[in-house]
Amino acid sequence: MRKVQLLEEPYQLGQERIALLVGLFCMENFDYDSLMNGLVRGSFGLEPKDIARFEIKKGMFRVIDKKGEAHEVKIEETDKYTFPGCGPCFDFASELADISVGSVGSPDGWSTVLLRTGAGEKLYAAALAAGAVQEKAVSEKGLDLVKRLAGNKAERFAKCSKEMNVVGIKR
């Protein structure tokens, strides 16, 4: 979206209407149909209507059903359900957003928030003043985890780009 906001061509789509970019921490994104048919129905024998939520914690992909039971596999086992475009992406923490948000680095029920621009700081300060959000400091351990995962994703990008045989050409 930052690219859409900054470039003139071919993105004449109303860039002036983009007021704020909020990005999520992201290692990969899952293809819904593939995940539902392969993992949820296939491995766990569940129907999508029976799913309460998904979680990724401590290297495990967890499906929590509506009965509160957790079904889990190692996160590596979900690679076949991710979008191919996630492999070459290096941006874990939405570095070009005004505000980046994710659960990594914070205790349950809290989110880690990275304020990246003046616009992000202004919105956050207004939300805090209005009582819409509560604030407490992120621990050094939590911040180190965010940094480590961002580094891991950057390393994965470097590995992926080598595997894709990326080359430069002279025009």
Side-chain angles (χ1 to χ4, degrees):
M1 287 306 296
R2 186 67 76 201
K3 187 175 183 180
V4 168
Q5 191 178 39
L6 297 175
L7 295 179
E8 291 184 28
E9 292 293 333
Y11 302 110
Q12 295 298 318
L13 303 172
Q15 295 94 323
E16 70 281 353
R17 297 188 332 210
I18 301 171
L20 189 78
L21 299 179
V22 178
L24 300 176
F25 296 174
C26 181
M27 285 302 282
E28 62 262 319
N29 195 356
F30 299 95
D31 176 89
Y32 179 82
D33 291 330
S34 177
L35 186 67
M36 289 301 126
N37 292 324
L39 184 64
V40 172
R41 286 186 178 114
S43 298
F44 296 144
L46 299 171
E47 288 299 317
K49 66 179 177 52
D50 298 324
I51 304 300
R53 69 182 184 276
F54 297 103
E55 297 176 344
I56 298 175
K57 286 187 173 183
K58 298 182 181 179
M60 301 299 285
F61 183 92
R62 303 181 74 206
V63 177
I64 311 300
D65 65 28
K66 290 186 178 172
K67 296 176 187 172
E69 295 178 36
H71 310 262
E72 60 185 25
V73 295
K74 291 182 179 179
I75 191 67
E76 295 83 17
E77 293 180 37
T78 64
D79 287 348
K80 59 189 165 198
Y81 308 119
T82 62
F83 284 112
C86 294
C89 176
F90 62 89
D91 190 10
F92 168 75
S94 299
E95 294 177 18
L96 296 179
D98 296 299
I99 299 174
S100 301
V101 182
S103 61
V104 172
S106 291
D108 286 345
W110 290 83
S111 294
T112 301
V113 178
L114 304 176
L115 305 174
R116 299 188 176 278
T117 67
E121 290 175 5
K122 184 177 176 182
L123 176 74
Y124 180 78
L128 198 55
V133 295
Q134 297 175 354
E135 175 182 78
K136 73 176 184 177
V138 174
S139 69
E140 284 298 317
K141 183 178 178 181
L143 191 55
D144 287 344
L145 179 58
V146 172
K147 290 177 185 176
R148 187 173 79 234
L149 289 176
N152 289 350
K153 188 157 186 189
E155 287 175 19
R156 186 173 82 180
F157 168 76
K159 180 181 176 192
C160 182
S161 64
K162 285 179 186 174
E163 291 172 359
M164 291 188 311
N165 196 21
V166 176
V167 297
I169 60 170
K170 183 176 180 180
R171 294 190 277 176

